Amino acid sequence: MRVIFGEFTLDSATRQLHQGGRERHLSPKAFDLLALLIRHRPGVVDKEALRDALWPGTNVVDANLNNLAAEVRSVLGDDAQKPRFLRTVHRVGYAFCAEAVDADEAGPSVTRSGGATSGPRAWLVWQDRPIVLADGERTLGRDPTCDVWIDVPGVSRRHAAIRVAASAATPSASIEDLASTNGTFVDGRAVQGRVTLADGQSIRMGEAAMTFRLWGASGVATKRIRKR
């Protein structure tokens, strides 16, 4: 299983969790907890099932499970009171509550009639890693609490904001610089005010360079190549 959620990529085969281009460490059981909840998303996994999966044949108290959940939240920068990723269902268990997609299917799915169906429609490609952008406004910056964490030199704590309406009839997106120290650039031009983004445009913030991708109906068609 290799899935993308927010600015994170989890790979259960290599047992790695990446945030942007940086690997984040989880203890083995905390990693297993996160992977298990993602696999059963958005359903709730009760405490008994979690204990059986993480500590088979061993009696453990709820505090052990609570500590693992706290570790996962700490690494993800999540808040138990306002969860982005890990939701507590009191007296029952836990659930993964964020949108997550298979990393090998990062492009949108297509119906037989050729229309786009549900799936991620906007994302950033940074260091060869896709970062899915859900509809709404997403902040980018060096502060780990930003929606997209860009921890590289020259990036301000809250550097820029991208507003996405990819699920609309006409998908659209725009970017705004948040009074950053070094500015935000789209295709080499400094962002002044709010600037509309198009599929394939480059974005630079400090030393971070990325590509914005936006899926539209025009992206469904496949070019016919003449046979020689």
Side-chain angles (χ1 to χ4, degrees):
M1 178 179 69
R2 184 166 175 264
V3 295
I4 300 168
F5 55 98
E7 66 273 29
F8 295 93
T9 302
L10 181 140
D11 191 328
S12 59
T14 62
R15 296 189 64 83
Q16 290 178 301
L17 175 69
H18 285 90
Q19 184 175 23
R22 177 183 179 185
E23 185 172 356
R24 304 304 308 277
H25 174 74
L26 280 172
S27 68
K29 287 194 183 298
F31 186 95
D32 290 341
L33 172 63
L34 177 59
L36 192 154
L37 293 175
I38 290 175
R39 187 176 293 112
H40 291 277
R41 68 187 186 276
V44 178
V45 184
D46 64 56
K47 293 181 179 180
E48 183 177 357
L50 291 172
R51 287 193 294 265
D52 289 343
L54 298 171
W55 295 278
T58 304
N59 291 323
V60 296
V61 297
D62 282 353
N64 296 72
L65 188 56
N66 296 341
N67 289 339
L68 288 185
E71 180 185 346
V72 171
R73 286 193 173 110
S74 177
V75 170
L76 299 182
D78 205 5
D79 184 345
Q81 302 304 316
K82 298 180 180 180
R84 293 173 56 208
F85 303 113
L86 193 64
R87 180 170 65 91
T88 299
V89 182
H90 294 290
R91 298 183 180 180
V92 180
Y94 295 93
F96 188 82
C97 57
E99 177 184 359
V101 295
D102 191 307
D104 297 324
E105 300 175 358
S109 54
V110 178
T111 63
R112 292 182 182 274
S113 61
T117 64
S118 60
R121 296 190 176 188
W123 60 98
L124 293 169
V125 180
W126 180 42
Q127 298 180 337
D128 295 325
R129 293 184 178 276
I131 301 172
V132 175
L133 300 172
D135 277 15
E137 186 161 289
R138 300 289 178 264
T139 56
L140 294 76
R142 194 165 43 83
D143 191 322
T145 63
C146 287
D147 298 300
V148 181
W149 185 31
I150 310 293
D151 188 22
V152 299
V155 175
S156 297
R157 293 184 64 83
R158 288 174 57 83
H159 196 108
I162 290 182
R163 185 177 298 165
V164 175
S167 61
T170 303
S172 64
S174 60
I175 189 168
E176 180 181 12
D177 184 77
L178 300 179
S180 66
T181 300
N182 295 303
T184 303
F185 297 82
V186 174
D187 286 347
R189 296 183 178 181
V191 170
Q192 302 291 339
R194 184 165 290 278
V195 173
T196 299
L197 288 171
D199 178 52
Q201 286 189 303
S202 65
I203 299 174
R204 182 168 60 83
M205 304 187 310
E207 296 182 9
M210 60 201 77
T211 302
F212 175 74
R213 300 305 311 271
L214 179 66
W215 182 267
S218 60
V220 175
T222 301
K223 180 181 179 181
R224 182 177 295 278
I225 299 175
R226 181 177 297 178
K227 297 180 179 179
R228 295 182 179 179

